[in-house]
Amino acid sequence: ERKKMAAKGEAMPNGGFPIDSVATLKDAIQSIGRAKDPAAAKKHIIARAEALLERVGLAGQAGRPAGDLSYGEQRRLEIARALATEPKLLCLDEPAAGMNPQEKLELTELIQMIRRRFKLGIWLIEHDVRLVMSLAQRITVIDHGETIASGPPEQIQRDPRVIEAYLGE
């Protein structure tokens, strides 16, 4: 499934490449660079890894073991690794799960920056309604496997089926 996603230009954090807890952050990104383009010059791969770590706010920790990162930092590293594959669509499956409010705020800012800087689509599966409403341009709401609403956030917030299923009456 991951190979099919890559062939279509899609990427998902931790997309089949588990993070070695003893590898440095820089090594974790470089491993994706080598997987994507084995013939690329090492200098280019290193520069790309450093740039991605900078963009996700982890540049100052490039030599640190990945296993020492906080949960929120691990998620940012996973997103950087997904971006290393140069996707057209970034798939985020519950990226805020288990995060504290500060980490969620930082994640929201990161996703907004990614959308602006990388100009790629973001497919977000998330149960944190506030996070979804702050990020999404279009939302599809699924309840028990059925689509119950689809549209811009303002429309979704007013939809009686969504209110009943997710927001409470």
Side-chain angles (χ1 to χ4, degrees):
E1 189 63 31
R2 303 286 185 188
K3 287 181 181 180
K4 288 179 189 176
M5 288 179 69
K8 293 189 286 185
E10 301 170 357
M12 183 173 231
N14 204 10
F17 301 99
I19 295 173
D20 180 343
S21 64
V22 296
T24 65
L25 278 62
K26 196 169 171 181
D27 291 338
I29 301 291
Q30 287 174 211
S31 69
I32 300 298
R34 283 192 295 271
K36 178 161 177 54
D37 187 2
K42 185 174 184 175
K43 196 175 200 179
H44 172 74
I45 294 169
I46 291 169
R48 176 97 172 121
E50 289 171 347
L52 287 168
L53 289 173
E54 175 72 34
R55 290 214 170 101
V56 300
L58 295 173
Q61 303 179 61
R64 185 175 169 199
D68 291 351
L69 297 175
S70 71
Y71 183 73
E73 291 168 332
Q74 289 176 11
R75 296 306 301 247
R76 290 192 310 213
L77 177 58
E78 291 170 357
I79 290 170
R81 293 179 80 211
L83 291 172
T85 67
E86 301 176 356
K88 294 176 187 158
L89 177 67
L90 179 63
C91 304
L92 300 174
D93 187 3
E94 297 190 27
M99 288 188 172
N100 65 43
Q102 181 60 37
E103 290 171 330
K104 285 183 183 182
L105 176 62
E106 291 168 3
L107 176 70
T108 301
E109 292 169 354
L110 174 62
I111 293 170
Q112 290 169 338
M113 179 278 295
I114 289 169
R115 187 170 51 213
R116 281 190 316 271
R117 273 213 155 144
F118 291 89
K119 297 185 179 20
L120 51 84
I122 297 176
W123 184 52
L124 179 69
I125 300 169
E126 181 59 60
H127 289 92
D128 184 321
V129 175
R130 286 190 180 139
L131 184 112
V132 171
M133 293 296 175
S134 71
L135 288 172
Q137 296 170 324
R138 180 171 179 76
I139 299 170
T140 298
V141 181
I142 300 171
D143 185 35
H144 295 92
E146 298 291 326
T147 299
I148 60 171
S150 190
E154 304 78 27
Q155 177 184 331
I156 297 300
Q157 286 178 311
R158 294 188 307 267
D159 190 294
R161 295 165 297 177
V162 174
I163 294 168
E164 182 181 333
Y166 284 93
L167 305 176
E169 290 195 68

